[in-house]
Amino acid sequence: MGCVITFEAEEALAAAAVSLGAAQVAGWSDAEQRLAGAALAGPGRAREGPAGQLRDQILAGGDPLGEAFCRLRDAARRRPAGQTFTPAPVVQSMVGWAARRLTPARVVDPGTGSARFLVAAGRRWPHACLVGVETDPLAAMIGRAALAAAGLAGRAGITLGDYRSLDLPPAAGPTLFLGNPPYVRHHQIPAQWKHWLRSAAARRGLPASGLAGMHVHFFLATALHAVPGDAGVLVTAAEWLDVNYGCLVRALLLGPLGGQSVHLLDPAVPAFADAAATTAITCFLPGTTPSSLRLRPVARLGDLGELSGGAAVPVPVLRAASRWTPLAGRVSGPAARRAPLPAGHVELGELCRVHRGQVTGANQVWVTAGNPAGLPARFLFPAVTRASELFGARDTLATTAGLRFVIDLPADLAELAEAELAPVTRFLARAEAAGAAGSYIARHRTPWWRVRLRAPAPILATYMARRPPAFVRNLAGARHVNIAHGLYPREPLPPAALDSLAAFLRRSVSPGQGRTYAGGLTKFEPGEMERLPVPAPGLLPACAGAAGSAPG
């Protein structure tokens, strides 16, 4: 595709976009005009030579502007906006699927970025109107420049705004919704958009959770924008297939979106090098009422093809399932088909409840080494606050020495004597000034300063790593925050049984029993950990000898 053209600053990239004709694409906004003016007035002004090379690379099928954008903004800077640019093989497979279903009059990309989808669609359908939506002015500019350089400016437009509030007029024919919605977790989604999700879903009689990521919002917005005869294919994180908040997407696919197929990439396939998430490509025909939906595991990017194949799963089976990944026929992972339990075994959840540790809302305030604030000692609780503390403990956490403290204050400060109230009041003033009262967690608890640590769990477990979880007997009585799970027996278990249970889990649990993300990161949600097979209570002490020799 030619040599790599580098830019020293974003202003230089913006100037290059202008030189390629970005302003020729409809929808040019005031924000982009200001960015262009600043870029052209500074030293980043593009020369015709580089602009010509950029144009040649775009005409040859490359995306030099998008690649330059990713070099200027590393993954950490792009993560809050969910900016992950889609690899060409994924784009081509999605366009290929759509081309077998319809000839669109309009193609809508809900998160345009550098316009990889729109450029590919414009080349595939020479008469389609191309509509992009983007919230980032610089990304919108390079998307426009790519469209202009590809000769598509005359039938393309990009709106600088939010896809959920897009005013999409009727089209002269079918619309194809094609793209990669931003991957943003719920913590970074403003409260007004969470309200939008719940209220918009409720109007359709569907459930919605404030824990849903941005891709769930975009599935719902697509259902609101689409009409019968349209089509859609979106690439997103795959977690919606199995988590509770994904029930909205599952309901949409079995209802107004008319789901056709889901193609689930193997977790070991890094489709998006800068996002640790398993990838799913979802195809749908709004307004249809399918009797089944095809679920297909895909081992390699090269196997995507034009998104055909997969096992047809009847709609009644899908409606009855709380998780869909098992139905794709995978042989590993959290949603693998559950084999019968071995003789004498039960699920861990029959013995123990598994609870993730408490979220403080501001660790820099509530987690402390020592007691620099001079608080009463009874409000400082030794706690496991790093997964490495459990990995380092191996079998047993025998002492709290070396652990940090979590500050957990009572709800009613009026109960405190003056000697205790004075340092607590000073501390809370500093905590509020540091923003602790304004965090998402603090705003949703009463009072904002009460962390509410759980009681010590007799077994602590890590749940996210590139290795099996650590299961550690908590003889020190340490508390834990949300970097670990606590295993709490439903009925009292003697110490020998708890020792045996922890040792058995250390020996038997493998990463394949968790949810594996791209790059090999494995995560065990509490419910997944509760489904682990363990010996029945009467067999636990008998297992101590064999299990106790297992590695910690």
Side-chain angles (χ1 to χ4, degrees), residues 360-369 372 404-405 407 427 430-439:
T360 70
N363 280 1
Q364 72 276 15
V365 171
W366 304 110
V367 178
T368 180
R404 296 186 292 177
F405 297 96
I407 299 167
F427 167 76
R430 291 196 297 271
E432 190 165 12
S439 72

Side-chain angles (χ1 to χ4, degrees), residues 9 32 140 182 324 354 482 506:
E32 292 165 277
W324 283 9
V354 178
N482 63 317
R506 284 194 296 274

Side-chain angles (χ1 to χ4, degrees), residues 307-326:
L307 304 181
S308 59
V313 182
V315 166
V317 174
L318 293 165
R319 290 194 190 281
S322 60
R323 299 182 299 131
W324 283 9
T325 306

Side-chain angles (χ1 to χ4, degrees), residues 420-522:
E420 291 187 327
L421 181 60
V424 168
T425 301
R426 289 194 298 270
F427 167 76
L428 287 179
R430 291 196 297 271
E432 190 165 12
S439 72
Y440 175 83
I441 297 298
R443 287 186 284 109
H444 289 79
R445 67 188 180 202
T446 303
W448 65 266
W449 60 77
R450 192 174 186 195
V451 173
R452 292 179 183 269
L453 286 171
R454 291 187 180 276
I459 299 175
L460 294 172
T462 60
Y463 65 83
M464 183 178 290
R466 289 180 172 82
R467 52 165 288 178
F471 293 92
V472 177
R473 281 285 280 122
N474 182 19
L475 300 185
R479 310 300 175 101
H480 67 292
V481 296
N482 63 317
I483 56 85
H485 291 332
L487 278 58
Y488 295 87
R490 294 179 181 273
E491 300 292 338
L493 290 175
L498 290 168
D499 293 343
S500 180
L501 176 60
F504 179 86
L505 289 166
R506 284 194 296 274
R507 180 185 66 179
S508 65
V509 177
S510 68
Q513 293 170 283
R515 177 179 299 145
T516 304
Y517 292 86
L521 186 69
T522 299

Side-chain angles (χ1 to χ4, degrees), residues 79-489:
R79 191 169 295 121
Q83 294 172 314
T84 56
F85 288 28
T86 310
V90 177
V91 174
Q92 293 303 324
S93 71
M94 294 166 65
V95 170
W97 177 87
R100 302 200 320 271
R101 299 299 186 279
L102 79 170
T103 299
R106 176 174 62 187
V107 179
V108 175
D109 181 349
T112 305
S114 59
R116 294 182 180 185
F117 283 101
L118 290 183
V119 169
R123 289 168 172 157
R124 188 66 176 255
W125 295 289
H127 303 293
C129 174
L130 309 173
V131 178
V133 188
E134 177 57 59
T135 59
D136 184 316
L138 180 58
M141 289 178 72
I142 65 172
R144 294 180 195 279
L147 290 163
L152 303 171
R155 53 191 176 99
I158 294 178
T159 296
L160 187 68
D162 195 293
Y163 176 64
R164 291 164 291 189
S165 57
L166 178 68
D167 182 12
L168 193 64
T175 294
L176 170 63
F177 297 90
L178 174 73
N180 172 14
Y183 183 61
V184 178
R185 292 191 178 276
H186 78 92
H187 310 84
Q188 296 168 308
I189 298 176
Q192 65 267 28
W193 282 118
K194 294 188 177 191
H195 174 74
W196 172 88
L197 181 76
R198 287 189 288 261
S199 59
R203 287 194 293 271
R204 285 181 168 258
L206 297 173
S209 167
L211 300 179
M214 186 77 79
H215 55 292
V216 176
H217 291 230
F218 276 46
F219 271 110
L220 178 58
T222 300
L224 300 176
H225 292 316
V227 299
D230 292 345
V233 53
L234 300 178
V235 56
T236 68
E239 56 199 33
W240 62 263
L241 281 89
D242 298 316
V243 296
N244 289 339
Y245 70 69
C247 65
L248 175 56
V249 178
R250 300 193 292 270
L252 289 169
L253 291 174
L254 300 182
L257 280 181
Q260 299 294 300
S261 61
V262 180
H263 305 263
L264 182 62
L265 277 167
D266 189 281
V269 177
F272 296 88
D274 52 4
T278 306
T279 300
I281 303 174
T282 306
C283 308
F284 47 94
L285 298 174
T288 64
T289 309
S291 59
S292 63
L293 188 149
R294 289 183 295 108
L295 299 177
R296 174 190 174 218
V298 181
R300 299 173 299 178
L301 276 181
D303 295 340
L304 282 172
E306 292 188 345
L307 304 181
S308 59
V313 182
V315 166
V317 174
L318 293 165
R319 290 194 190 281
S322 60
R323 299 182 299 131
W324 283 9
T325 306
L327 306 176
R330 297 179 58 80
V331 295
S332 64
R337 294 183 181 276
R338 290 162 68 183
L341 289 169
H345 286 61
V346 297
E347 291 187 342
L348 175 61
E350 292 189 33
L351 301 184
C352 299
R353 294 182 176 88
V354 178
H355 291 296
R356 181 175 288 128
Q358 188 61 278
V359 180
T360 70
N363 280 1
Q364 72 276 15
V365 171
W366 304 110
V367 178
T368 180
N371 187 11
L375 292 168
R378 67 189 182 103
F379 301 143
L380 277 71
F381 296 85
V384 172
T385 58
R386 303 182 181 98
S388 60
E389 293 164 349
L390 293 180
F391 288 125
R394 296 180 62 82
D395 297 359
T396 303
L397 185 66
T399 175
T400 60
L403 297 182
R404 296 186 292 177
F405 297 96
V406 175
I407 299 167
D408 198 1
L409 299 171
D412 186 5
L413 301 183
E415 70 181 31
L416 302 184
E418 180 59 33
E420 291 187 327
L421 181 60
V424 168
T425 301
R426 289 194 298 270
F427 167 76
L428 287 179
R430 291 196 297 271
E432 190 165 12
S439 72
Y440 175 83
I441 297 298
R443 287 186 284 109
H444 289 79
R445 67 188 180 202
T446 303
W448 65 266
W449 60 77
R450 192 174 186 195
V451 173
R452 292 179 183 269
L453 286 171
R454 291 187 180 276
I459 299 175
L460 294 172
T462 60
Y463 65 83
M464 183 178 290
R466 289 180 172 82
R467 52 165 288 178
F471 293 92
V472 177
R473 281 285 280 122
N474 182 19
L475 300 185
R479 310 300 175 101
H480 67 292
V481 296
N482 63 317
I483 56 85
H485 291 332
L487 278 58
Y488 295 87

Side-chain angles (χ1 to χ4, degrees), residues 18-28 55 144 148-149 153-156:
V18 173
S19 71
L20 287 169
Q24 299 171 17
V25 175
W28 185 252
R55 184 178 292 106
R144 294 180 195 279
R155 53 191 176 99

